[in-house]
Amino acid sequence: MDNNGAENHPTRSRGLALAVLCAASLMVVLDSSIVAVALPAIQADLGFTPAGLSWVFTGYLVAFGGLLLLSGRLGDLLGRRRVFLGGLGLFTGASLVAGLAANAGVLVAARFVQGVGGALASAVVLGMIVTMYPEPRARAKAIGVYSFTQAAGASIGLIAGGALTQALSWHWTFYVNLPIGVAALLLAVRVVEPDRGTGLRDGLDVLGAVLVTAAVMLGVYGISSSSWGALVAAVVLLAAFGVRQAKARTPLLPLRLFKIRAVAGANVVMVLMVAGMLGFQFVTALYLQQVLGLDALGTGVAFLPVPLVIAVASLGFAGKLAARFGPRAVLLGGLGLVIVGLMLLTRVSVDGAYFADVLPALLLMGLGAGAAIPALMGLAMADVPAEDAGVASGLINTTQQVGAAVGTAVLAAVAASRTESLGTLDHREALAAGFRLAYGVSAGFLIAAVALGGVVLTRRTRKVAPAAPAVSEPEVCIAGQA
């Protein structure tokens, strides 16, 4: 496979390569949530302080989010397959160290290295898929499979984390990566075609890489820990990065990408959408355990309908709807379903029941996410020139992580503040009130995404350069198009 696509790839070979790329991507996504339900067991076993325990989660997110953009650019320069294999090997090795960790320091360090490997491996996957599938309909189906791994990964992680922790031990939330990682590495060497990067002679913007990596890391940390100092520093560094990119001869993030309306709009919409949808998962896990009294395994199983419905939507009928109505319409319609689901959850109470009060909302949100996420992924990559596919892939993954950090931090703070203000009430009543407010804020994120998407994402994306493998409307159909 070269940088201009591979139209003569055998269908079977491309299918196997797609399966390997998506399996590896799913494993990396799972790791951001699989340890969530294992945190109490980890704290009891390794003696974490409450503040230190958060770094088991935050350490991974900081490294992962901070290095996605740089990883995508390295894929453009060095070859995406090479960066993918290196990242996958690093992630798998760090998973073994995390599983064997006998003290808090080793586990946090291993989680940080996992984040580095995960960023290298996952940042280039979407760019590899886009170049591997130049045909619009085949590309749409391939992005549908990839989008399912992104949309359903967090829910599957909660299920797997609960099952492994309860049936075996928290160590297995890391050990489970070993057979998947090794198999993916061996298969990738055989079925993923090598590609040629443009080479480091084209220049790697080292200063820009340092600025943006530090900015995103500080931003994710600041949001996760409510540190205003870190947030201010992140904004300053991000502004410096923007100035650097405007002046650099070979910028890390070519600002010309933001002249493509679909790219700029899709990335902003992604932040808002993920902020609402990932924050909702965090709040719902707390509601199920702290108010309805489910255990770790029960909480994981409660989320099972979400990935199932996402699969039905993203791999089934969403593509047909996109072929008829266009990706923009499917995106906005899908987000509308998510909003309805969140509004239903604003009515939860201490007397609530999973099947009556939670499940209907989960089904609506799964359907909406299954349609909206592949539509947005397709729009974000539709008009990107081939030589920038890696950095564009890293960019959309970075905005996902920023959205996840923003949503989780904001909704956790909103729920906690509301609960604390009602301290005179029964504790479960106060918790439920806090969660109801958080669901309302989550719906607000999605409403803002719909408003912005309706204005910025036009019905037709534009072609930005004659040499670019641009895709015009009706070809820019969302993933899963039949």
Side-chain angles (χ1 to χ4, degrees):
M1 178 176 69
D2 60 30
N3 282 344
N4 296 318
E7 298 191 40
N8 58 351
H9 272 193
T11 300
R12 182 182 177 189
S13 175
R14 289 199 308 185
L16 288 172
L18 176 64
V20 170
L21 293 175
C22 288
S25 180
L26 178 62
M27 179 178 66
V28 172
V29 172
L30 287 178
D31 228 65
S32 64
S33 63
I34 195 170
V35 300
V37 293
L39 289 177
I42 292 173
Q43 183 177 21
D45 195 15
L46 299 185
F48 273 96
T49 64
L53 184 64
S54 66
W55 278 100
V56 178
F57 189 77
T58 305
Y60 179 83
L61 288 181
V62 166
F64 184 69
L67 291 169
L68 280 167
L69 196 57
L70 175 59
S71 298
R73 186 56 177 160
L74 285 174
D76 291 333
L77 297 176
L78 301 177
R80 294 170 200 131
R81 177 178 180 267
R82 182 182 299 174
V83 171
F84 171 77
L85 293 175
L88 187 56
L90 185 62
F91 180 89
T92 304
S95 297
L96 175 60
V97 175
L100 294 172
N103 60 69
V106 171
L107 180 57
V108 171
R111 287 289 284 166
F112 189 88
V113 177
Q114 271 191 308
V116 174
L120 289 167
S122 63
V124 295
V125 168
L126 185 56
M128 294 170 76
I129 292 172
V130 167
T131 54
M132 190 165 61
Y133 285 89
E135 313 91 343
R137 291 183 180 273
R139 175 187 291 183
K141 292 180 180 179
I143 294 180
V145 177
Y146 170 77
S147 297
F148 165 71
T149 68
Q150 299 295 296
S155 296
I156 296 173
L158 290 173
I159 298 167
L164 289 169
T165 301
Q166 196 152 319
L168 298 169
S169 71
W170 65 263
H171 302 273
W172 285 91
T173 61
F174 301 109
Y175 290 152
V176 70
N177 294 329
L178 301 181
I180 301 173
V182 171
L185 272 170
L186 294 176
L187 287 171
V189 171
R190 293 176 58 90
V191 302
V192 177
E193 294 278 338
D195 61 305
R196 289 184 179 180
T198 57
L200 287 177
R201 64 183 178 279
D202 284 352
L204 176 63
D205 181 14
V206 177
L207 177 58
V210 171
L211 288 172
V212 73
T213 299
V216 176
M217 283 185 170
L218 281 171
V220 172
Y221 168 72
I223 294 168
S224 301
S225 61
S226 301
S227 170
W228 286 103
L231 288 174
V232 170
V235 171
V236 171
L237 289 172
L238 197 59
F241 171 71
V243 173
R244 170 65 182 175
Q245 298 314 284
K247 296 181 177 181
R249 183 175 63 86
T250 53
L252 176 69
L253 176 61
L255 296 184
R256 64 178 178 271
L257 285 177
F258 294 104
K259 295 180 181 179
I260 306 173
R261 188 164 179 162
V263 172
N267 276 277
V268 179
V269 170
M270 180 65 81
V271 172
L272 295 168
M273 181 177 73
V274 174
M277 292 171 62
L278 265 293
F280 132 81
Q281 288 191 331
F282 173 79
V283 172
T284 303
L286 292 178
Y287 173 72
L288 292 173
Q289 294 186 68
Q290 296 179 355
V291 177
L292 297 190
L294 299 185
D295 60 16
L297 180 57
T299 299
V301 172
F303 278 97
L304 182 59
V306 177
L308 295 178
V309 175
I310 287 175
V312 171
S314 62
L315 305 179
F317 60 82
K320 295 178 182 178
L321 291 177
R324 182 169 182 178
F325 300 108
R328 175 179 174 270
V330 174
L331 169 65
L332 299 181
L335 293 180
L337 288 177
V338 176
I339 292 169
V340 173
L342 287 168
M343 295 308 294
L344 289 177
L345 288 172
T346 61
R347 302 161 56 195
V348 297
S349 68
V350 294
D351 300 320
Y354 170 75
F355 288 101
D357 301 304
V358 178
L359 182 59
L362 294 183
L363 295 176
L364 282 172
M365 295 182 71
L367 285 173
I373 291 178
L376 196 55
M377 290 284 189
L379 286 168
M381 297 295 294
D383 289 339
V384 175
E387 63 271 17
D388 293 326
V391 71
S393 173
L395 178 62
I396 196 68
N397 279 282
T398 300
T399 55
Q400 274 187 286
Q401 294 305 308
V402 171
V406 169
T408 302
V410 169
L411 296 186
V414 165
S417 177
R418 177 61 172 164
T419 298
E420 185 178 348
S421 71
L422 299 173
T424 57
L425 290 179
D426 173 79
H427 184 57
R428 289 173 63 240
E429 289 276 8
L431 285 170
F435 298 146
R436 287 195 295 270
L437 180 58
Y439 286 131
V441 174
S442 187
F445 281 126
L446 272 297
I447 291 170
V450 169
L452 182 68
V455 172
V456 176
L457 297 175
T458 58
R459 296 181 181 276
R460 178 180 297 273
T461 57
R462 70 180 201 180
K463 300 179 181 181
V464 294
V471 184
S472 58
E473 177 79 22
E475 297 178 347
V476 185
C477 291
I478 70 164
Q481 176 178 339

